[in-house]
């Protein structure tokens, strides 16, 4: 049965470990983990989630961008499992934008990421893909990829002044609903 999983919180050592390469996609545990990760990211209003965030040390994450309460302007794409992902190439330029993390509730940070990346990953059926990602989707990929190497978005900030609260962030990005 598919279930939403508990999310490891900042300070948990699993979030600082190098995740292990996935070598057997026929493993029932792995397919179940993918289903559970998708259920977890949808329920928690995330746009992506990596296996270490639910205390599983596997090189795999889900990208599931869609507009939701935490990211009102996110583009929509079907939840996609990306296994043993790699970044093959990236644009020279980076862009700074707000990120949050299910492991770091209540906080947003202004994180520089490559604007465009060329990536490679295996899907849940074992098919290898090569793809060009840009802007917000590229940002999600880089954020989740960092989780596989034990990095948190806070590690990427240029200054601690680029940290704000979730409440402040939502006030900035949501259109003002004026009541006169
Ligand atoms: Zn995260």
């Amino acid at each position: 049965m598919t279930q939403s999983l508990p999310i490891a919180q900042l300070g948990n050592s699993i979030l600082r470990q190098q995740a292990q390469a996935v070598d057997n996609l026929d493993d029932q545990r792995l397919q179940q983990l993918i289903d559970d990760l998708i259920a977890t990211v949808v329920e928690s209003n995330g746009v992506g989630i990596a296996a270490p965030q639910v205390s599983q040390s596997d090189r795999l994450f889900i990208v599931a961008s869609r507009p939701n309460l935490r990211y009102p302007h996110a583009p929509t794409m079907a939840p996609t499992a990306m296994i043993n992902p790699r970044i093959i190439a990236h644009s020279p330029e980076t862009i700074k934008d707000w990120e949050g993390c299910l492991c770091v509730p209540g906080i947003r940070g202004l994180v520089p990421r490559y604007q465009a990346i060329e990536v490679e990953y295996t899907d849940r059926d074992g098919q290898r893909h090569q793809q060009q990602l840009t802007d917000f989707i590229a940002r999600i990929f880089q954020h989740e990829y960092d989780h596989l190497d034990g990095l948190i978005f806070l590690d990427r900030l240029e200054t601690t002044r680029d940290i704000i609260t979730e409440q402040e962030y939502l006030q900035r990005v949501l259109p003002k609903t004026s009541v006169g």
Side-chain angles (χ1 to χ4, degrees), residues 3-79:
Q3 54 171 339
S4 188
L5 302 168
I7 292 166
Q9 300 291 292
L10 182 65
N12 189 320
S13 62
I14 187 87
L15 295 173
R16 293 311 195 171
Q17 289 166 24
Q18 185 85 10
Q20 302 299 304
V22 172
D23 55 8
N24 181 12
L25 270 172
D26 297 329
D27 184 352
Q28 184 51 38
R29 179 191 73 86
L30 217 72
Q31 293 292 334
Q32 182 69 54
L33 175 60
I34 291 169
D35 287 336
D36 292 345
L37 279 169
I38 292 172
T40 307
V41 75
V42 168
E43 189 183 286
S44 47
N45 287 313
V47 288
I49 192 167
Q53 294 185 270
V54 297
S55 304
Q56 300 296 312
S57 192
D58 299 298
R59 295 192 78 79
L60 118 82
F61 55 71
I62 311 291
V63 175
S65 180
R66 71 204 161 96
N68 62 40
L69 289 172
R70 290 178 67 245
Y71 295 93
H73 306 304
T76 300
M77 70 178 271

Side-chain angles (χ1 to χ4, degrees), residues 148-173:
L148 306 185
D149 288 338
L151 289 169
I152 302 288
F153 77 103
L154 298 172
D155 302 327
R156 299 281 189 192
L157 298 179
E158 288 173 354
T159 159
T160 49
R161 287 173 187 262
D162 286 341
I163 301 176
I164 65 173
T165 67
E166 177 102 5
Q167 191 183 344
E168 175 71 17
Y169 164 78
L170 288 174
Q171 274 172 16
R172 291 185 192 191
V173 300

